[in-house]
Amino acid sequence: MHLRQAFLNVWFIFPHMLGSPALISSEADKSYSSPIIVVLGATGVGKSSLANVLLGRDKNYKGKEFKNGCFHVSTGLDSITKETCADQGYWMGDTNFQNFTVIDTPGFGDRLVEEEKTIENMVTTLRDEIKYVHVFIIAFKQTDNRMTDSLRSMISLFEKMFGKKFWDNVILEATHWNHGDDAERIRSESHPPLTQKFWSEEFNRILQREFSLGRDLDSVFIDTYYHNKSPKELEVFSNHSRILWEYALSREPFECKDIEIALTEIRELQNHIDSLVKQEEVKKTLIESLLQQREQLQRSLTQYQVPTPSPQSEFSYCTTNKCYTPTEFALLGLGVAVLGVLLGVLAISCLKQQCLPDEKEEMLERERELARQSRQESSVTELEDSQVHLVDQ
């Protein structure tokens, strides 16, 4: 304990001498000491344990002074903290140092109905009672080195509740991060080695990809179960506690007046399903109304003896009327075309035989005509020769 106090005394006295935003903003509202730190995270991540240690209480404090499980640490899987609760005290429990406020919140990931109550209670407490916050600690387990659907849904919910600006006051905390030699050896033998630098860079890379953050978030590795007789673990605990405290003092307060009660993704999907069910019921009612109107019209037609032709199906119509398929229509057209060609040929032959002269007769007549002309020319030639002979005599 004396060794821990020595580490704390070295760095803690200086913030009291500085005019930080946290100290200045505390003058605006005396009900809660500044800085104000809110611990957020999933169920079982160690939020209550961290809040108790920051107040100087035992990490396994049972929260007997608080209702609804606030600041109650449990080893079970179910969430013990049921409401958002604030407590004030000296940093690390040392009365020589400044008072501050830490807010314990229920974990996310329980049953939907309880989660909705959690969201509503958190919003009303922060907006109507706390009014401003200097630091939002989002706590993750050491093993949470990838973005699961539940983590994505939880962080998305925080952003919906507080808005984009709340990222300016966020710091990441890796819980269950043992700083002993054996734990560090095990982490270093993983592939890739699970170092503080790797964990911070990986989470920042994922958050920037998923939520479009414009900067890297700071990270702390406060192990609430550190071995207080180990100088190394105590030094690491003190260093990371100092980083968190200095970060809290450096932040401009985040005003909670505009935060809203957001819906979880599950509830949004459920609301969408409920809306679709209602639309289906409206359509069903409309169909039933139209059927009733149709029956009324049929009764009216029957009453006034107006015949109503029954609709015929295509099959029944074709049984009483000749129907042709497209293929049958094509074959019929082709047959008509062939028949037309044959009739044309026959007509031409008939006309040629009946209306035109016989070609053989015509040839014989021409030959006889040529023979007559040849004889006439021979006679004329002989006559001329005889005349010439007479003249010579």
Side-chain angles (χ1 to χ4, degrees), residues 308-362:
T308 56
S310 59
Q312 291 183 339
S313 64
E314 182 181 356
F315 178 76
S316 61
Y317 176 82
C318 289
T319 56
T320 57
N321 302 275
K322 183 62 178 176
C323 296
Y324 296 98
T325 64
T327 303
E328 290 175 339
F329 271 111
L331 293 175
L332 179 61
L334 182 61
V336 170
V338 172
L339 182 60
V341 171
L342 292 176
L343 291 175
V345 171
L346 292 175
I348 292 172
S349 300
C350 182
L351 288 174
K352 188 174 180 181
Q353 291 178 1
Q354 295 182 2
C355 300
L356 297 177
D358 192 359
E359 291 183 356
K360 287 187 176 182
E361 292 293 333
E362 185 177 358

Side-chain angles (χ1 to χ4, degrees), residues 271-288:
N271 289 344
H272 181 62
I273 292 173
D274 294 341
S275 175
L276 293 177
V277 170
K278 289 180 180 179
Q279 293 178 14
E280 188 69 21
E281 291 177 353
V282 170
K283 292 178 181 179
K284 184 178 179 181
T285 303
L286 178 60
I287 292 173
E288 291 177 352

Side-chain angles (χ1 to χ4, degrees), residues 90-102:
Y90 297 101
W91 184 256
M92 299 295 172
D94 194 322
T95 56
N96 294 319
F97 301 137
Q98 177 181 336
N99 260 328
F100 78 107
T101 302
V102 63

Side-chain angles (χ1 to χ4, degrees), residues 13 18 28 35 56 71 91 113 151-152 162 191 220 232 240 265 274 295 301 330 333 343 391:
I13 192 64
L18 302 176
F71 300 97
W91 184 256
V113 175
L151 287 179
R152 184 182 296 105
F162 302 116
H191 298 284
V220 290
K232 176 186 176 183
H240 284 273
E265 294 180 4
D274 294 341
E295 291 177 359
L301 292 174
L343 291 175
V391 170

Side-chain angles (χ1 to χ4, degrees), residues 28 57-58 75 84 92-93 122 160 172 176 184 188 220 223 231 238 279 285 304 309 338 345-346 381-382:
R57 292 197 287 248
D58 185 77
T75 56
T84 299
M92 299 295 172
M122 180 188 296
K160 289 178 183 177
L172 305 179
H176 300 236
E184 288 189 352
S188 65
V220 290
D223 179 21
S238 300
Q279 293 178 14
T285 303
Y304 293 102
V338 172
V345 171
L346 292 175
T381 303
E382 290 177 358

